[in-house]
Amino acid sequence: MKCHTIMGILVDNRNASAPKVQEILTKHGCIIKARLGLHEVDEKQCYDEGLIILQLCGSDGEIEELQKELNSLERVKAKKFVLSFEEES
C-alpha cells in the first residue's frame, strides 16, 4: 500500500475542538502513519488555532470518511492531497 496521501487539518478554538478531533483521529488511527501538530506560541501567549498534518495509508473510502468526519466539526477544516509520479486514472 502506498502512503502518498497527506491531509492538513486546521483547528480553531483548540481547547474546545481538540477532544473531538482527537476522538476522530483515534477512531481512524490504523490509517495514520505519521502525525505532526503545529501551533503558534510565543513568550506571551499560546494561540488558539492549530494545524495538524497527517500522512495516511488507507483506501480512498477510509480517507474520505476521515475527512468527512473532521469537516463535520465546527471550526475544523480538513483537506487531503495525493502526491504521486503515477498517472491518475
Side-chain angles (χ1 to χ4, degrees):
M1 177 180 294
K2 295 184 179 177
C3 302
H4 296 165
T5 301
I6 303 297
M7 183 175 288
I9 307 163
L10 186 60
V11 181
D12 192 23
N13 193 6
R14 288 183 314 117
N15 290 332
S17 301
K20 296 171 192 164
V21 170
Q22 182 58 46
E23 182 179 320
I24 291 170
L25 295 179
T26 299
K27 176 181 173 185
H28 295 275
C30 290
I31 66 168
I32 299 172
K33 182 174 182 183
R35 173 181 172 171
L36 174 64
L38 306 166
H39 69 277
E40 292 293 325
V41 62
D42 62 34
E43 62 276 352
K44 295 181 182 172
Q45 72 180 47
C46 180
Y47 294 87
D48 210 26
E49 185 176 281
L51 177 66
I52 301 169
I53 301 168
L54 304 177
Q55 179 186 14
L56 301 172
C57 301
S59 70
D60 290 343
E62 291 170 316
I63 293 169
E64 292 294 332
E65 182 62 27
L66 170 59
Q67 183 173 316
K68 180 181 172 185
E69 287 184 36
L70 288 166
N71 282 325
S72 74
L73 299 176
E74 189 173 332
R75 306 299 297 162
V76 175
K77 291 205 178 263
K79 186 164 184 157
K80 70 169 176 104
F81 63 94
V82 179
L83 296 172
S84 178
F85 290 110
E86 298 174 11
E87 296 271 336
E88 294 202 24
S89 50

